[in-house]
């Protein structure tokens, strides 16, 4: 069992069944923290609490909560006031519904907690709820009060334990309206094929293999400064240069992903070619290979009008049909 301090004690309300539980943090922060110092002498910078009416420093035991009204009046609110809120969720995780877990939008998910059975009498109802959630493949939607506000949560089973994920209220999630490109962009089928090939090449990964490289580099800098040795050098910029051709960038990405694994060259599995460079970000589909465009707008790409022979670049159609003269 986790040897961590519980941050909340209460009950899960499952219909008429009450399950005594303790709430403990399910995550911990490993980020490197800094202290504020005086740059001239290295002295610690401390933030002291002063009462603006008495103009004196006060201790943490003298600090309370207050609600500021619109006219500037501050109304004191005590912990006892908060414990007597006229809501059933003050000391209870009240289950209000059961839904398929995939119905929960990941944008709503916040801090996760573990729920531990609080005492021997809690073992049977705790196990009952856990097994019911597992068998139904559903998650429980609940309301609870924590840190001065009522919250929405989701209960699910993780490795045999009940977990509570804090959820944002639906009206706290902003709409993404207007963030996607509003221009008519045409994506070629060949580009989609290469993108899918790159996805397949990169494949899956075990999240346990990922680690915080920034934290490791920061710790290396701290160790070097403490020992008085040379600081590690920052890696230089990539020498590959910027690739403006989308198809070329995808091809190079696939090759770069395959090389460490010794996979077959790209040309042996896919018939790909570079997009003709016409100095424009929009390219008409090749008529020579009969390829149809895949438009993100759901409509075919507009046909290009012929360009008069005025010394400017030829149109894509004339480029694909012209033969090189001797």
């Amino acid at each position: 069992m986790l040897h961590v301090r519980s941050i909340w004690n209460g009950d899960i309300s499952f219909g008429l069944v009450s399950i005594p539980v303790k709430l403990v943090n399910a995550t911990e922060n490993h980020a490197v923290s800094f202290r504020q110092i005086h740059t001239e002498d290295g002295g610690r910078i401390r933030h002291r609490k002063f009462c603006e009416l008495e103009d004196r420093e006060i201790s943490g035991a003298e600090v309370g909560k207050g609600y500021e009204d619109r006219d500037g009046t501050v109304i004191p609110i005590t912990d006892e006031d908060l414990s007597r809120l006229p809501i059933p969720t003050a000391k209870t995780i009240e289950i209000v519904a059961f839904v398929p877990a995939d119905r929960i939008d990941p944008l709503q998910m916040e801090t996760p907690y573990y729920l531990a059975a609080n005492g021997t009498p809690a073992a049977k109802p705790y196990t009952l709820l856990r097994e019911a959630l597992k068998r139904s493949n559903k998650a429980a939607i609940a309301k609870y009060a924590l840190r001065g506000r009522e919250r929405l949560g989701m209960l699910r089973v993780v490795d045999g334990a009940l977990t509570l994920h804090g959820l944002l209220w639906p009206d706290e999630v902003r709409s993404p309206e207007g963030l996607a490109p509003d221009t008519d962009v045409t994506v070629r089928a060949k580009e989609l094929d290469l993108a899918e090939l790159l996805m397949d090449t990169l494949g899956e990964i075990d999240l346990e293999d990922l680690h915080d490289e920034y934290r490791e580099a920061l710790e290396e800098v701290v160790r070097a400064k403490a020992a008085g040795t040379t600081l590690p050098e920052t890696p230089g910029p990539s020498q590959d240069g910027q690739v403006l051709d989308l198809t070329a960038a995808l091809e190079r990405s696939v090759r770069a992903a395959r090389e460490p694994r010794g996979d077959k060259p790209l040309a042996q599995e896919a018939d790909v070619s570079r997009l003709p460079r016409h100095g424009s970000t929009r390219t008409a589909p090749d008529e020579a290979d009969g390829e149809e465009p895949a438009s993100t707008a759901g409509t075919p790409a507009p046909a290009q009008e012929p360009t008069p022979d005025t010394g400017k670049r030829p149109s894509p159609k004339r480029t694909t049909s012209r033969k090189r003269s001797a």
Side-chain angles (χ1 to χ4, degrees), residues 138-181:
K138 289 185 177 182
I141 302 300
K143 296 199 299 182
Y144 63 103
L146 184 66
R147 298 191 176 99
R149 55 173 289 200
E150 186 173 59
R151 301 169 185 266
L152 190 65
M154 174 186 71
L155 278 74
R156 68 187 184 103
V157 180
V158 176
D159 293 337
L162 292 176
T163 62
L164 172 66
H165 292 265
L167 299 178
L168 294 171
W169 296 98
D171 60 359
E172 292 180 315
V173 179
R174 293 176 175 173
S175 168
E177 183 179 359
L179 299 180

Side-chain angles (χ1 to χ4, degrees), residues 183-264:
T183 56
D184 182 18
V185 178
T186 299
V187 177
R188 298 178 51 178
K190 185 174 295 182
E191 294 165 343
L192 282 175
D193 290 341
L194 276 169
E196 291 181 359
L197 181 59
L198 177 58
M199 292 167 62
D200 292 340
T201 303
L202 293 174
E204 298 181 0
I205 191 171
D206 187 348
L207 294 181
E208 296 292 334
D209 295 334
L210 299 178
H211 56 279
D212 188 348
E213 296 183 19
Y214 179 87
R215 176 170 60 89
E216 293 175 354
L218 185 56
E219 290 173 344
E220 186 178 354
V221 168
V222 172
R223 287 193 296 269
K225 295 207 71 172
T229 58
T230 303
L231 297 180
E233 295 184 2
T234 303
S238 173
Q239 301 299 319
D240 293 340
Q242 185 178 14
V243 181
L244 300 180
D245 187 316
L246 181 57
T247 302
L250 289 167
E251 290 178 8
R252 290 174 63 174
S253 299
V254 173
R255 291 193 181 98
R258 290 181 166 210
E259 284 176 0
R261 306 189 309 187
D263 290 348
K264 291 186 296 182

Side-chain angles (χ1 to χ4, degrees), residues 126 144 186 286 319:
Y126 184 101
Y144 63 103
T186 299
D286 284 344
T319 300

